[in-house]
């Protein structure tokens, strides 16, 4: 599914990551661990297509296509998902509406009909229950005033709604207490399936006790 070969790149022409190679097949969970500042988030941003981060060398092949050639929107529509280490707060944007728009963008891309707010509400309730998140977060502004752990859970909710093919979770465990960590890990485990690839970035071993990587 994903072949990263000799990838270098970073921010404003400075190479932060240097010559990374990694293959992820469907049905596999991989973990990347490393100290703060070693370039883990930089790798995830290059893969997701953050405009400020560029590859300077190497290739990234995603399901037979050059991932680095695609716009970030295209990557998302092709099933690439990044759970941010630092999710952004967007006051004024309703969480449920944001999720419905992302969900509908995918449906339109797949040539299907959009779902209306009422139908989406049912889908959302099911997903929230699935990951153990209270329904009250539906009508909050996106991440606005969320605690660190709530933001991370909201990232997992996005993942549950969008059902990506390749999910990159950047330090999803940081900021979670042990109960929230267990709930989130259980949600990720239940969501994971044989047609999916998962890249977990963390610097705590404890998450890997709940989500077992293949390598
Ligand atoms: P990690 O996620 O492994 O902790 P990062 O990828 O966030 O590491 O950062 C790697 C290095 O690149 C750090 O030294 C960081 O300060 C630097 N870096 C990343 N993004 C930027 C940026 N936007 N501006 C300046 N330096 C950056
Ligand atoms: Mg990081």
């Amino acid at each position: 599914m994903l072949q990263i070969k000799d990838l270098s790149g970073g921010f404003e022409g400075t190479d932060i990551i240097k010559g990374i190679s990694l293959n992820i097949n469907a049905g596999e969970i991989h973990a990347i661990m490393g100290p703060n500042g070693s370039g883990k988030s930089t790798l995830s941003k290059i893969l997701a297509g953050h405009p400020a981060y560029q590859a300077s060398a190497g290739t990234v092949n995603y399901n037979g296509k050059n991932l680095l050639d695609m716009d970030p929107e295209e990557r998302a529509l092709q099933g690439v998902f990044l759970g941010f280490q630092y999710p952004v707060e967007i006051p004024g944007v309703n969480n449920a509406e944001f999720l419905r728009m992302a969900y509908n963008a995918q449906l339109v891309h797949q040539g299907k009909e959009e779902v209306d707010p009422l139908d989406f509400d049912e889908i959302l309730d099911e997903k929230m229950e699935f990951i153990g998140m209270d329904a009250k977060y539906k009508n909050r502004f996106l991440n606005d005033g969320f605690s660190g752990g709530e933001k991370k859970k909201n990232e997992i909710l996005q993942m549950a709604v969008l059902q990506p093919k390749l999910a990159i979770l950047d330090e999803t465990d940081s900021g979670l207490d042990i109960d929230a960590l267990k709930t989130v890990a259980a949600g990720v485990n239940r969501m994971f399936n044989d047609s999916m690839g998962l890249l977990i970035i963390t610097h705590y071993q404890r998450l890997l006790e709940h989500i077992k990587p293949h390598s």
Side-chain angles (χ1 to χ4, degrees):
M1 167 179 291
L2 185 75
Q3 292 163 294
I4 303 174
K5 219 175 152 204
D6 300 323
L7 182 69
S8 298
F11 179 80
E12 284 185 345
T14 320
D15 276 356
I16 294 166
I17 56 167
K18 294 171 184 131
I20 287 196
S21 296
L22 170 73
N23 287 342
I24 302 181
N25 295 311
E28 288 182 356
I29 301 175
H30 290 251
I32 293 184
M33 297 188 78
N36 260 328
S38 57
K40 303 183 298 299
S41 292
T42 298
L43 172 66
S44 71
K45 286 172 186 169
I46 291 175
L47 294 178
H50 190 303
Y53 293 78
Q54 282 95 27
S56 60
T59 56
V60 182
N61 189 294
Y62 172 65
N63 286 328
K65 292 182 194 152
N66 180 354
L67 185 76
L68 301 175
D69 260 1
M70 299 180 199
D71 291 339
E73 292 79 6
E74 179 64 15
R75 298 181 202 200
L77 290 171
Q78 298 288 334
V80 178
F81 175 85
L82 171 61
F84 293 127
Q85 178 172 10
Y86 301 111
V88 281
E89 298 190 5
I90 312 186
V93 173
N94 175 281
N95 203 22
E97 274 175 40
F98 170 78
L99 289 164
R100 181 168 54 87
M101 287 188 159
Y103 185 78
N104 277 335
Q106 254 187 352
L107 290 179
V108 168
H109 179 75
Q110 293 160 5
K112 296 178 188 157
E113 236 175 272
E114 296 189 0
V115 292
D116 63 33
L118 275 178
D119 287 340
F120 184 71
D121 200 50
E122 276 179 32
I123 296 171
L124 193 52
D125 281 339
E126 186 194 306
K127 302 291 183 188
M128 292 184 96
E129 203 183 314
F130 189 71
I131 63 158
M133 192 171 177
D134 195 288
K136 71 182 177 193
Y137 297 102
K138 277 196 289 199
N139 291 316
R140 295 267 300 265
F141 289 148
L142 179 56
N143 288 327
D144 187 30
F146 283 31
S147 72
E150 289 166 346
K151 285 179 184 171
K152 295 305 173 85
K153 266 200 182 175
N154 210 36
E155 295 292 288
I156 297 303
L157 177 63
Q158 291 175 14
M159 178 175 156
V161 167
L162 296 173
Q163 300 203 285
K165 293 196 187 99
L166 172 70
I168 305 162
L169 299 180
D170 190 2
E171 308 233 7
T172 297
D173 49 336
S174 64
L176 296 180
D177 61 33
I178 190 69
D179 288 332
L181 179 94
K182 280 185 186 163
T183 322
V184 162
V188 172
N189 282 328
R190 269 202 280 168
M191 233 180 289
F192 186 73
N193 61 59
D194 277 353
S195 56
M196 226 186 122
L198 179 59
L199 179 61
I200 292 179
I201 296 174
T202 180
H203 60 252
Y204 297 106
Q205 198 70 41
R206 59 175 199 171
L207 181 67
L208 306 178
E209 286 162 13
H210 300 284
I211 304 174
K212 289 270 173 253
H214 296 87
S215 73

